Amino acid sequence: MSADARPLGPWAWPAATALAGLGALLAFTLPREALDWQPALALAEPWRALSAAWVHWSVRHLVMNLAGCALLGLLGWRARMMPRGVLAWALAWPLTQFGLLAQPALRHYGGLSGVLHAAAAIIGAHLLAQRRDRHARGIGALLLVGLIAKILWEAPWGAATRAVEGWDFALAPAAHATGALAGLLAWVLVGRQRSRPRNDKSESTS
């Protein structure tokens, strides 16, 4: 039985988003500078590509990303995301932060928003690939188009951070772009893998 066919398969995605949120809650009590992304330490401390997503600069920042986890958890569950999608998200997680090496002016980064953009891209690609479900393909296309429009509007090729009136933290547009790109790349890489049928005898010997 493949991983996607197991009874707990449909719950893998919401479980993953719940763990992402729980990690952020736990990390909020720890020193941020010991966990956040710093391009100068990317090679010496590569684990920051994982831990940085759990770092948040304020309560508002944390609450907004926890809401994003809940929303994408529900959306992924409704989209019937299976463990293969969780594997793609796990691959996209560090790629999101390593992609920030293209924006060296961002000397410190923390937050789930980048990997949440990766999750949204994976869900959109998953829905768009549903050949027998026109409704799902339409939702997937709208999700991906909306994601692209949002990233272009944020202009990730410009300033490293962008202040938003009323917010006590700044956006990092490059993280949203690298997250979406990492999500799509990871989904393509994982999606190309296919399990060999049990009754495949193409390599049998006589």
Side-chain angles (χ1 to χ4, degrees):
M1 179 180 293
S2 68
D4 288 353
R6 293 171 185 169
L8 293 179
W11 297 103
W13 183 270
T17 55
L19 286 174
L22 179 60
L25 284 171
L26 294 175
F28 199 66
T29 64
L30 301 175
R32 299 184 182 97
E33 293 182 355
L35 303 172
D36 70 338
W37 171 257
Q38 299 180 38
L41 298 176
L43 297 180
E45 300 178 359
W47 47 264
R48 288 177 181 267
L50 297 174
S51 64
W54 286 314
V55 174
H56 290 82
W57 307 114
S58 69
V59 173
R60 180 191 291 269
H61 189 199
L62 175 64
V63 170
M64 290 179 66
N65 279 336
L66 289 178
C69 283
L71 177 62
L72 287 171
L74 177 60
L75 180 60
W77 178 71
R78 292 285 296 172
R80 298 180 181 179
M81 296 295 295
M82 292 295 184
R84 192 178 298 275
V86 176
L87 179 60
W89 194 28
L91 176 61
W93 190 296
L95 292 178
T96 296
Q97 274 66 242
F98 276 117
L100 294 176
L101 291 173
Q103 178 57 284
L106 191 64
R107 297 182 180 179
H108 291 267
Y109 171 76
L112 278 166
S113 61
V115 296
L116 290 178
H117 278 69
I122 291 169
I123 294 173
H126 166 77
L127 289 171
L128 193 61
Q130 305 306 305
R131 298 180 180 178
R132 299 181 180 180
D133 191 336
R134 182 179 300 177
H135 180 67
R137 292 201 308 273
I139 295 175
L142 287 174
L143 180 57
L144 290 176
V145 169
L147 196 62
I148 293 171
K150 177 181 182 295
I151 290 171
L152 292 177
W153 177 75
E154 291 176 345
W157 54 84
T161 60
R162 178 177 180 177
V164 178
E165 185 177 355
W167 290 13
D168 54 2
F169 65 95
L171 291 180
H176 299 170
T178 59
L181 289 173
L184 290 175
L185 175 62
W187 185 86
V188 169
L189 292 175
V190 173
R192 285 181 177 176
Q193 298 178 11
R194 294 291 182 268
S195 299
R196 183 183 297 275
R198 287 187 175 184
N199 60 352
D200 186 356
K201 301 180 180 179
S202 60
E203 297 181 358
S204 61
T205 57
S206 57

